[in-house]
Amino acid sequence: MMILFDQGTPVPLRRYLCDHDVETAFERGWSHLRNGTLLDRLEAEGFELLITTDQSLHHQQNLAKRPFSVLVLMSTSWPQIEKQVKKIVDAIERITPSEYVQIQI
């Protein structure tokens, strides 16, 4: 699965997703893009999942017609997120196209 980490998603999470192609918005040069433009680029490049900590994304953007899924981590704290890695990996394995999932941390 092609996964994009949005700004704020802790990069160490990547090491738990070795079965997936993971890139960051920063690596892509997309860290300056506003949400709508970022989502357009994500779609155009064929990403299947956006992992973000932006809890208001679904209020700001219409995600219903997007072909990729969105996984929202409800914290930016790596120590807290690391404790929930199994839950996050399980959610990634179960997520379906166009699904929006929030992970309570």
Side-chain angles (χ1 to χ4, degrees):
M1 177 183 305
M2 287 183 61
I3 300 172
L4 183 76
F5 282 9
D6 194 8
Q7 293 296 108
T9 303
V11 175
L13 178 60
R14 173 189 253 165
R15 71 175 171 249
Y16 296 95
L17 304 176
C18 56
D19 293 337
H20 303 283
D21 295 323
V22 179
E23 294 186 54
T24 68
F26 178 80
E27 291 167 342
R28 281 279 176 146
W30 296 350
S31 51
H32 68 283
L33 298 179
R34 299 185 63 83
N35 282 342
T37 305
L38 176 66
L39 298 178
D40 290 342
R41 292 271 179 94
L42 191 89
E43 186 172 338
E45 295 291 326
F47 281 92
E48 300 163 90
L49 175 63
L50 172 66
I51 300 181
T52 185
T53 58
D54 184 349
Q55 298 176 27
S56 60
L57 182 66
H58 70 287
H59 295 296
Q60 298 169 348
Q61 300 293 321
N62 181 1
L63 301 171
K65 296 184 182 188
R66 299 286 187 169
F68 53 83
S69 304
V70 176
L71 181 71
V72 179
L73 306 176
M74 302 301 281
S75 172
T76 59
S77 167
W78 173 241
Q80 296 301 317
I81 290 170
E82 188 173 29
K83 293 175 186 174
Q84 300 295 323
V85 164
K86 182 177 178 352
K87 183 177 178 181
I88 295 165
V89 170
D90 288 347
I92 291 169
E93 297 305 321
R94 289 191 317 268
I95 204 162
T96 59
S98 301
E99 189 174 7
Y100 178 89
V101 175
Q102 292 181 337
I103 301 288
Q104 296 298 326
I105 306 287

